[in-house]
Amino acid sequence: SKATVSVLNWFCVHETPPTRPRKKETMARMPQFVGMRVAVCGGGNACHVLACDLTLKGYKVGMHMPYMNEAEKFAAGMERNHGVKIHYHAEKRDGVAQVWKVSKDAKDVIPGAKFIFIAVPVNAQECTLMDIVPHCDADAVIVALPATGGFDWCARRVFKKLNKRVAIAGMAPMPYVCRTRRYGAEVDLFGTKRTVGFAASPPALCKPLATVVSHMLSLECEAFPTFLPVILQATNPIMHPGRMYGMLVGGPAGYWRDRKGLPRMEKFYDDCDDASNEWLHKLDAENQAVAAALEGAIAGSVGGKVLPINECLKWTYKDHMAKWGTAKECFTTNAPYKGLGSPLMEVATGYWVPDFKNRYFMEDVPYGLLVNRGLAELLGIKTPAMDTVIEWVQHEVGRKWLVDGRVNAAEGPQASPQAYGLTIADLKEMYDVGAPARGSKL
């Protein structure tokens, strides 16, 4: 859009930003960016990192935190500790950021923001968009972290409801490995991915926006032709359900209930075993088949951007990883993964059970793996491994996302294409890279 081009021009007053910032620039305030308004929506780990890192780079950051008492809790933590401390583990340095404004109300921080980063659970993206879009400037850009789970489908639906459109972009995977140590006061950034996939709508803005966001976040955003390869990246929707199935069901120890739980907290990455590796690659092989079929049905829509899981992790982390021949090798030799636990709860001494309310199950299946499975169904591709994992999770959490081998669009929560009423014809209309932009049913 012409309005969005104006914000891109803002970055070109002094020089065109490099695709990957020069090393000295990652440590210093960048004069051409100082004071630019940015908003961060959400209150989780990534939001802590975004707010701190962007503030330290000279942006004027407003945080939109509408849920529960997050805004009050964050503001109190920041005031009590005279700022939010961020530990950059890879760079062995710390910083303290005083975020400009924190509010529950979108009207306090969204107007005037040129870039609005949404780092909320996928199931909260629609209500977040409904809250912020009415307050967005015409030249604003909304960026989702991550944009798996059909973020652009969600945004289109919101724009139609509100009769207002702004530019959107999204990336996968989530760029940070991070944990909040003290809410509103201290956060650990264990590692930043070297490269992430990036898509935008309108598509013509993808490359310039990727360059700008790369500069802002100090990483490389690789421009993708459409949102489809973002959806299909072998990230959380493949990694989390696949590893948990291998840990809790598919391994030699058998079903977790039969063995009365696990005797210890199993590390999600360091302890990855052969059974988990097998299931990760089974899911990935089916995901690869979906990507190939989509490229065949909609030429140029995927463009070879959906790599096998081990190649994807190597592409993402580069020199952080010692071995990458298999998913297991990637998991066990990737430095930022070291020591991270699993979604397990200790309910008695030496008795650990899965936390099925955790996002690894309640986000990464209905808003992740099920989305990819839904695309497979539209294309007529059989997915026995995806079906096995989804049916196991739905049994544990009391859902019926798959019924008689088909996606049950009526069973919430979910973000499958079937839940959006999409067909292959609709996807062709949305993602035909050679066709002029048209309206769609969303």
Side-chain angles (χ1 to χ4, degrees):
S1 67
K2 291 182 179 179
T4 307
V5 170
S6 68
V7 75
L8 297 177
N9 290 338
W10 197 94
F11 284 83
C12 301
V13 172
H14 298 273
E15 61 176 331
T16 300
T19 299
R20 181 158 178 82
R22 293 184 289 271
K23 187 174 181 180
K24 66 181 181 180
E25 287 182 324
T26 67
M27 301 289 290
R29 292 166 67 91
M30 291 166 277
Q32 66 267 40
F33 297 164
V34 170
M36 183 180 183
R37 285 279 312 284
V38 173
V40 174
C41 300
N45 300 319
C47 292
H48 278 67
V49 170
L50 280 165
C52 291
D53 189 53
L54 291 170
T55 295
L56 291 172
K57 288 172 178 172
Y59 297 93
K60 191 173 183 179
V61 179
M63 296 191 73
H64 174 46
M65 308 175 80
Y67 304 109
M68 298 181 288
N69 64 338
E70 287 180 338
E72 294 89 342
K73 188 177 176 183
F74 189 98
M78 185 167 62
E79 181 178 1
R80 186 168 53 250
N81 293 278
H82 309 290
V84 186
K85 190 171 189 177
I86 180 169
H87 302 280
Y88 295 92
H89 286 254
E91 300 173 22
K92 297 181 180 178
R93 67 182 179 94
D94 298 334
V96 178
Q98 191 71 42
V99 179
W100 169 62
K101 185 178 288 188
V102 181
S103 179
K104 277 189 171 185
D105 296 325
K107 62 180 174 58
D108 293 336
V109 296
I110 300 301
K114 300 304 180 185
F115 280 83
I116 302 162
F117 293 94
I118 298 180
V120 299
V122 180
N123 61 355
Q125 286 178 344
E126 184 163 356
C127 59
T128 301
L129 288 170
M130 289 293 294
D131 200 17
I132 68 173
V133 168
H135 303 285
C136 288
D137 292 359
D139 62 353
V141 182
I142 298 174
V143 184
L145 297 79
T148 51
F151 170 71
D152 60 322
W153 306 339
C154 174
R156 287 168 184 256
R157 183 158 70 182
V158 168
F159 295 158
K160 186 174 182 179
K161 288 179 181 178
L162 298 177
N163 193 29
K164 180 178 179 178
R165 301 181 70 88
V166 295
I168 60 168
M171 62 183 69
M174 171 66 78
Y176 306 122
V177 180
C178 55
R179 292 289 185 273
T180 301
R181 191 183 298 187
R182 292 181 295 149
Y183 202 87
E186 195 170 7
V187 62
D188 291 288
L189 177 56
F190 299 109
T192 299
K193 296 175 176 70
R194 301 300 194 198
T195 312
V196 297
F198 190 89
S201 180
L205 293 176
C206 187
K207 288 185 178 180
L209 284 175
T211 300
V212 171
V213 175
S214 295
H215 198 60
M216 296 175 76
L217 302 189
S218 301
L219 49 78
E220 182 177 350
C221 294
E222 182 174 322
F224 282 1
T226 72
F227 274 91
L228 286 176
V230 170
I231 293 171
L232 291 171
Q233 286 298 292
T235 55
N236 293 1
I238 302 295
M239 289 166 52
H240 291 166
R243 169 69 173 116
M244 294 311 296
Y245 188 83
M247 182 193 302
L248 299 170
V249 184
Y255 185 40
W256 72 275
R257 291 187 188 274
D258 294 339
R259 50 187 158 126
K260 297 181 170 57
L262 283 71
R264 62 181 176 85
M265 163 58 79
E266 189 156 332
K267 293 179 181 178
F268 189 84
Y269 298 101
D270 301 74
D271 295 333
C272 183
D273 55 13
D274 291 338
S276 296
N277 184 65
E278 179 183 355
W279 278 96
L280 287 163
H281 282 282
K282 283 182 176 180
L283 294 178
D284 182 58
E286 293 176 357
N287 197 55
Q288 287 290 307
V290 175
L294 278 169
E295 178 64 20
I298 315 170
S301 64
V302 176
K305 298 298 186 181
V306 180
L307 300 174
I309 185 169
N310 53 312
E311 294 180 26
C312 177
L313 288 168
K314 175 58 178 172
W315 166 75
T316 299
Y317 283 98
K318 291 187 171 60
D319 54 330
H320 285 306
M321 194 174 294
K323 295 182 181 179
W324 53 88
T326 65
K328 177 184 175 181
E329 288 183 346
C330 294
F331 277 28
T332 57
T333 70
N334 189 21
Y337 285 165
K338 291 296 181 184
L340 298 179
S342 301
L344 302 173
M345 305 179 294
E346 189 175 26
V347 295
T349 303
Y351 181 41
W352 294 78
V353 300
D355 176 9
F356 285 109
K357 294 181 180 179
N358 186 275
R359 65 184 176 89
Y360 283 31
F361 301 104
M362 291 307 296
E363 179 177 348
D364 294 328
V365 175
Y367 292 91
L369 188 60
L370 186 68
V371 179
N372 302 22
R373 168 59 175 77
L375 289 169
E377 186 173 308
L378 293 180
L379 294 158
I381 296 173
K382 299 297 182 183
T383 53
M386 289 187 184
D387 290 7
T388 296
V389 174
I390 293 169
E391 287 170 355
W392 164 61
V393 174
Q394 71 180 21
H395 172 74
E396 298 282 11
V397 301
R399 296 291 194 276
K400 293 182 179 179
W401 293 309
L402 291 182
V403 175
D404 298 327
R406 298 188 66 82
V407 173
N408 175 21
E411 181 71 63
Q414 63 167 284
S416 70
Q418 287 79 2
Y420 282 95
L422 296 174
T423 66
I424 282 293
D426 297 320
L427 297 180
K428 288 180 178 178
E429 186 175 323
M430 286 183 196
Y431 301 123
D432 183 351
V433 295
R438 300 184 295 270
S440 74
K441 70 196 307 178
L442 289 181

